[in-house]
């Protein structure tokens, strides 16, 4: 397996506070509000996970952002929602990569290509250094998809935290 040196260096040299530089406290507060607002429009659950860099073992093995996102989906229990409609938006700053992992309730209703296209749009914003706007736009797009398939109903409860998870 070929591991790219540039990628390894980007991750190893990721300084403490990389997430805070890309998304300072005011940005995280806006993102949390965006998730709360979005979830009022449907019964789905959105969780954002932010990661500065992969750990050394993941780098050595050439772990992809997608593979790590699947692990984080499980670790953060995004799958543990009543209607199986949890959505993880995973941002790996070291790669400027976005991944979306969805639970089986929404997976059965939305094609994977739709999620991939949404991720590429977010990554386009990240490439320009527009992390906050890219994330908020991604949340709004995920919300529109969830609203099509899981419209709101009275008594819906919030099952996952709205506050971004910084790993």
């Amino acid at each position: 397996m070929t591991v790219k040196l540039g990628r390894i260096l980007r991750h190893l040299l990721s300084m403490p506070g990389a997430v805070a530089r890309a998304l300072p406290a005011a940005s995280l507060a806006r993102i949390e509000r965006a998730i709360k607002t979005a979830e009022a429009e449907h019964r789905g659950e959105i969780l954002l996970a932010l990661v500065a860099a992969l750990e050394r073992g993941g780098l050595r093995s050439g772990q992809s952002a997608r593979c790590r996102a699947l692990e984080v989906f499980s670790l953060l229990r995004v799958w543990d929602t009543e209607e199986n409609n949890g959505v993880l938006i995973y941002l790996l700053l070291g790669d400027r990569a976005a991944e979306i992992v969805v639970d089986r309730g929404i997976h059965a209703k939305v094609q994977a290509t739709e999620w991939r296209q949404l991720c590429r749009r977010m990554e386009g914003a990240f490439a320009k250094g527009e992390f906050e706007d890219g994330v908020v736009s991604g949340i709004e797009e995920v919300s529109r998809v969830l609203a099509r398939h899981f419209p709101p109903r009275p008594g819906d409860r919030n099952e996952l935290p709205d506050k971004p998870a910084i790993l």
Side-chain angles (χ1 to χ4, degrees):
M1 177 181 301
T2 304
V3 180
K4 294 185 178 181
L5 183 60
R7 182 177 193 231
I8 291 173
L9 289 174
R10 268 195 323 275
H11 285 263
L12 290 178
L13 297 176
S14 179
M15 303 299 286
V19 171
R21 280 191 300 284
L23 294 163
S27 297
L28 293 175
R30 178 179 173 216
I31 289 166
E32 184 174 349
R33 286 190 307 274
I35 292 171
K36 185 176 190 64
T37 299
E39 288 182 348
E41 302 298 320
H42 51 75
R43 297 187 321 274
E45 292 292 325
I46 301 170
L47 182 63
L48 174 68
L50 304 166
V51 180
L54 290 174
E55 295 176 0
R56 292 176 199 258
L59 282 174
R60 274 194 303 275
S61 69
Q63 184 178 41
S64 68
R66 180 74 185 168
C67 184
R68 182 63 182 145
L70 290 166
E71 291 175 355
V72 170
F73 181 85
S74 179
L75 284 170
L76 298 179
R77 300 178 61 92
V78 180
W79 54 267
D80 194 17
T81 61
E82 183 177 348
E83 293 188 66
N84 299 310
N85 57 4
V87 176
L88 173 70
I89 301 173
Y90 175 85
L91 171 55
L92 178 58
L93 290 173
D95 289 345
R96 291 193 175 192
E99 292 291 340
I100 294 177
V101 181
V102 300
D103 204 352
R104 64 187 177 274
I106 190 71
H107 178 74
K109 299 172 189 254
V110 180
Q111 302 244 349
T113 54
E114 188 168 352
W115 299 123
R116 281 194 297 276
Q117 290 167 354
L118 194 160
C119 288
R120 299 305 78 86
R121 286 190 291 277
M122 291 174 64
E123 290 169 350
F126 303 157
K128 295 184 270 184
E130 299 170 356
F131 291 99
E132 179 181 344
D133 290 339
V135 169
V136 170
S137 175
I139 290 165
E140 291 168 349
E141 286 191 62
V142 166
S143 183
R144 284 191 289 276
V145 172
L146 288 169
R148 280 196 322 252
H149 302 286
F150 295 94
R153 67 176 170 221
D156 185 33
R157 62 185 177 88
N158 192 6
E159 298 178 77
L160 295 174
D162 297 334
K163 183 177 181 176
I166 300 173
L167 308 175

